[in-house]
């Protein structure tokens, strides 16, 4: 018996909608495939993956853009990549004064893990 629950992949505060079942559960609908593809496409860039990892692993679960921008590209490029991660539903942000703080919602990480979990592993 599994305690797994469907968690949102695109964790917007206004709408919490489950994304996708595990890949091994059933074929995706067109909408589920679009959502998952947007996520994987966003993470398919090495700079974006590094930024996502920096935010996810940062103390307190959130990171100021000033703390994560040392990824070998210019600041405008960092901003572009963070925007793409937000558009894919992987990050949320909050402006505090002149800085923007980014966070990976725990439900997003759980949904990503669930998406790639096999039915046998969840049982």
């Amino acid at each position: 018996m599994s305690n797994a629950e469907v968690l949102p992949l695109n964790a917007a505060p206004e709408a919490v909608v489950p994304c996708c079942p595990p890949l091994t559960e059933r074929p995706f609908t067109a909408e589920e495939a679009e959502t998952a593809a947007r996520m994987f496409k966003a993470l398919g860039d090495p700079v974006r993956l590094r930024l996502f990892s920096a935010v996810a692993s940062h103390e307190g679960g959130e990171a100021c853009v000033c703390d994560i921008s040392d990824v070998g590209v210019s600041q405008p490029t960092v901003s572009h990549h963070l925007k793409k991660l937000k558009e894919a539903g992987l990050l949320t942000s909050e402006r505090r004064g002149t800085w923007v703080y980014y966070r990976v919602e725990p439900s997003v990480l759980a949904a990503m893990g669930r998406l790639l979990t096999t039915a046998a592993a969840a049982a």
Side-chain angles (χ1 to χ4, degrees):
M1 181 172 176
S2 172
N3 290 346
E5 62 183 22
V6 177
L7 296 171
L9 180 60
N10 191 355
E14 61 277 356
V16 177
V17 179
C19 162
C20 314
L23 290 171
T24 57
E25 187 175 298
R26 62 168 173 75
F28 282 176
T29 65
E31 184 178 334
E32 290 168 339
E34 285 290 328
T35 301
R38 193 169 42 251
M39 175 198 69
F40 286 119
K41 183 176 181 181
L43 292 175
D45 181 281
V47 172
R48 288 185 199 145
L49 188 56
R50 287 184 66 201
L51 288 168
F52 184 74
S53 174
V55 172
S57 65
H58 202 269
E59 185 178 336
E62 69 177 9
C64 174
V65 70
C66 61
D67 294 328
I68 59 170
S69 58
D70 186 21
V71 290
V73 296
S74 68
Q75 194 285 321
T77 303
V78 168
S79 293
H80 166 77
H81 286 304
L82 289 169
K83 178 182 175 187
K84 292 296 184 182
L85 290 167
K86 281 184 62 176
E87 288 172 351
L90 297 170
L91 295 179
T92 60
S93 66
E94 178 184 347
R95 180 171 289 282
R96 297 181 198 153
T98 59
W99 296 109
V100 177
Y101 288 79
Y102 290 88
R103 148 184 347 95
V104 177
E105 296 299 326
S107 59
V108 171
L109 291 175
M112 289 170 55
R114 185 178 186 283
L115 174 68
L116 297 174
T117 299
T118 64

